[in-house]
Amino acid sequence: METVILEILETAAITVSGFLIKKYVFLEPDMEAKKQKFFYLLSFFLIGIVFLAFGKDTANMTVLFLIGLNICLGRKKHRLCGLVQMLPFPGIINGLFVPTMLVPPYFFALSAQETVVYQFILYGALSMLLLLFYVKGKSRRSWFQDNMQHRSLRKSEKYLLWVIGILMLLFSNHTTMQITVDSGNVRVADSIYGRGLAPFIGITSVSAFVMTITIIVLIMQGNKRSFYHEKVSRMQSGMITFMAEVVENRDDNTGGHIRRTAAYVECIAKELKRQGVYSNILTNRYLSDMVVAAPLHDIGKIHIPDAVLNKPGRLTEEEFEIMKTHTTAGEELLTHAKAELGESGYLNTAVEMAAYHHEWWNGKGYPYGISGEEIPLCARIMAVADVFDALTSKRCYKSAMPLEKAYAIIREESGTHFDPAVVEAFFAVTADMEEREKLNKVI
């Protein structure tokens, strides 16, 4: 009877710990709250049926399958990969339970009755911890639900969990094979190692348990740090946009220009990446830096006098020369920011966008008259986004140009004003551009 109760407790512990590891370590999302609760109830019911019909080992295998199924159902994409994701689970769970349940009784040569008492104490302690987590951990669970639900593990973290899972599975299987219960006495199974295996099992079991706990704690702390890093990054990005809007608000003509151009830059850059164009430059990091930096491309206008910036008609030649200095002024401002704040990918990109977004592909632009691929890619993309928004936006001295006419101008200036590859990417996403244009005109 005691053996059966222990097997039930073992299966329950594996089930609960497996679902907790799935959510709080692997960061796999749950289903909707009601569906998730129903899945938990159904899982425990099925596991109970399997346990009664086929025994502990089959029930434990069912637990792993249900965890994999839960991962699949909780995901919105790559669902079938959820079944593969459950493979490290046996090793991680065994890395926690085998050293604590089997090794101490063996190491201290406990009798069968003493081993049962020891295991009941451990399961009791585990139950108390879970109950405490359920009762007292509501605020932490809510924080996790609100703040971590959209984050997933990095590839390096997944590889680390896979490695530790495989290592712990090999260790736990080897240890379990060496330790058996015979006539009420815990002993080493008959093997070439004999009783001399005790020190080895003791040291490796403690090392394996500590390693498993350490990896889990490190990854959970990494998850928390990554969340705060992403939160700070979003705050930083919001401050950048706000600062750019403060400058933009001096210009009564532009409206939501910086937000729209940032959206257009993102569309064009993603299409270039999808096409594999400039793949040596257009990394994920470069793309994200470009989107963050885009609102700063006109930051130099803070140095342009209001009489020129807000003139309701065409600028004179002298006024246009003053207006052109917003590129070099922006470059100087952002270079100074780099010197004060330190090197940053988005600041490097912001400097290039501010300085070169009025350069032409054929070298007839300003302020430096560089041409072709001498112009940084981020500035070439911004050039198309900037002109497109200027053409299709209403200004005090002109009406918004129809999209068809704006498209014709962009196409006509491909190879002269604009990088032809960027123009092709632009036209590949024109439907998305039109939708963004409609949405952002309200800004």
Side-chain angles (χ1 to χ4, degrees):
M1 184 64 182
E2 292 173 344
T3 303
V4 174
I5 294 175
L6 283 173
E7 288 181 349
I8 293 173
L9 290 173
E10 179 184 334
T11 301
I14 289 174
T15 303
V16 174
S17 62
F19 279 110
L20 288 175
I21 290 171
K22 180 220 78 163
K23 181 173 182 177
Y24 293 103
V25 179
F26 279 76
L27 295 183
E28 291 292 342
D30 286 337
M31 297 182 286
E32 295 177 9
K34 291 183 179 179
K35 292 181 179 179
Q36 187 64 41
K37 289 180 180 178
F38 176 75
F39 188 90
Y40 285 149
L41 292 173
L42 182 62
S43 296
F44 275 98
F45 176 76
L46 289 175
I47 292 164
I49 296 296
V50 173
F51 182 91
L52 293 174
F54 302 102
K56 178 191 71 172
D57 293 338
T58 306
N60 291 345
M61 291 298 296
T62 304
V63 171
L64 296 175
F65 172 77
L66 288 171
I67 291 172
L69 180 61
N70 191 222
I71 292 174
C72 294
L73 295 175
R75 290 182 170 190
K76 294 183 179 179
K77 57 182 180 179
H78 306 303
R79 288 190 167 184
L80 290 179
C81 295
L83 292 175
V84 179
Q85 189 67 37
M86 74 177 192
L87 294 180
F89 273 70
I92 293 173
I93 294 172
N94 284 355
L96 296 173
F97 281 98
V98 169
T100 53
M101 292 296 175
L102 297 182
V103 175
Y106 163 79
F107 194 64
F108 294 105
L110 300 181
S111 66
Q113 189 62 37
E114 290 170 332
T115 300
V116 169
V117 172
Y118 167 78
Q119 292 181 344
F120 269 116
I121 291 173
L122 276 184
Y123 283 125
L126 180 61
S127 299
M128 290 299 295
L129 287 173
L130 291 173
L131 183 62
L132 187 66
F133 174 73
Y134 180 77
V135 175
K136 297 291 187 179
K138 184 177 180 180
S139 60
R140 293 192 177 187
R141 294 196 304 274
S142 298
W143 179 91
F144 183 92
Q145 185 67 26
D146 294 339
N147 298 304
M148 300 293 288
Q149 59 181 330
H150 299 301
R151 188 186 180 267
S152 59
L153 294 182
R154 299 186 184 93
K155 287 184 178 180
S156 59
E157 294 170 332
K158 289 181 180 178
Y159 293 152
L160 187 60
L161 284 172
W162 273 72
V163 169
I164 197 68
I166 293 170
L167 288 176
M168 291 306 99
L169 186 60
L170 294 174
F171 160 77
S172 58
N173 286 342
H174 178 73
T175 303
T176 304
M177 289 173 63
Q178 299 301 327
I179 300 176
T180 61
V181 178
D182 182 29
S183 301
N185 295 313
V186 180
R187 66 176 179 83
V188 178
D190 294 331
S191 71
I192 61 173
Y193 301 108
R195 196 66 184 170
L197 191 65
F200 173 77
I201 289 181
I203 294 171
T204 55
S205 63
V206 172
S207 300
F209 180 76
V210 170
M211 186 185 301
T212 306
I213 293 293
T214 302
I215 293 298
I216 289 174
V217 170
L218 285 176
I219 287 179
M220 292 183 73
Q221 287 299 315
N223 293 339
K224 197 171 182 179
R225 283 195 302 272
S226 295
F227 160 72
Y228 283 118
H229 175 73
E230 290 166 6
K231 188 174 183 179
V232 170
S233 295
R234 288 195 298 269
M235 187 183 300
Q236 189 179 52
S237 178
M239 288 298 295
I240 289 168
T241 302
F242 173 75
M243 183 172 65
E245 285 181 333
V246 169
V247 175
E248 184 189 34
N249 285 338
R250 293 185 59 237
D251 185 350
D252 297 332
N253 298 324
T254 57
H257 173 70
I258 62 168
R259 291 183 181 272
R260 290 194 298 270
T261 50
Y264 301 154
V265 163
E266 183 177 10
C267 279
I268 296 169
K270 285 183 175 180
E271 179 60 23
L272 285 169
K273 186 171 179 61
R274 189 193 69 79
Q275 294 177 3
V277 181
Y278 300 123
S279 57
N280 59 322
I281 302 174
L282 202 54
T283 61
N284 289 333
R285 179 62 183 272
Y286 188 81
L287 195 154
S288 62
D289 285 341
M290 212 185 319
V291 175
V292 173
L296 296 173
H297 72 280
D298 276 339
I299 194 74
K301 285 185 177 179
I302 197 169
H303 286 301
I304 305 300
D306 287 343
V308 175
L309 191 64
N310 295 319
K311 185 177 179 179
R314 184 177 293 277
L315 299 177
T316 65
E317 186 174 336
E318 181 181 1
E319 290 168 337
F320 185 57
E321 289 301 318
I322 295 173
M323 178 63 79
K324 289 198 300 187
T325 62
H326 81 276
T327 54
T328 51
E331 181 183 18
E332 290 173 7
L333 278 171
L334 293 168
T335 301
H336 178 70
K338 278 175 55 180
E340 292 291 326
L341 302 175
E343 282 294 320
S344 170
Y346 81 85
L347 277 178
N348 292 333
T349 305
V351 170
E352 293 178 342
M353 278 187 166
Y356 304 114
H357 69 282
H358 283 292
E359 298 288 358
W360 283 36
W361 182 254
N362 63 6
K364 295 184 178 180
Y366 65 88
Y368 300 114
I370 58 176
S371 63
E373 294 188 13
E374 290 181 279
I375 308 168
L377 178 59
C378 58
R380 283 178 267 152
I381 294 173
M382 176 53 76
V384 174
D386 196 35
V387 171
F388 175 71
D389 187 70
L391 293 174
T392 56
S393 299
K394 182 180 179 180
R395 302 291 169 87
C396 62
Y397 55 87
K398 76 174 188 69
S399 300
M401 185 180 292
L403 285 174
E404 293 74 15
K405 188 174 181 180
Y407 290 153
I409 291 174
I410 297 290
R411 175 70 74 185
E412 182 181 343
E413 296 190 1
S414 175
T416 54
H417 188 164
F418 307 120
D419 178 348
V422 175
V423 170
E424 290 305 314
F426 168 82
F427 280 107
V429 292
T430 50
D432 192 22
M433 288 286 196
E434 289 181 29
E435 186 62 28
R436 284 179 182 268
E437 178 70 13
K438 291 175 185 177
L439 291 174
N440 286 301
K441 281 299 183 183
V442 298
I443 297 177

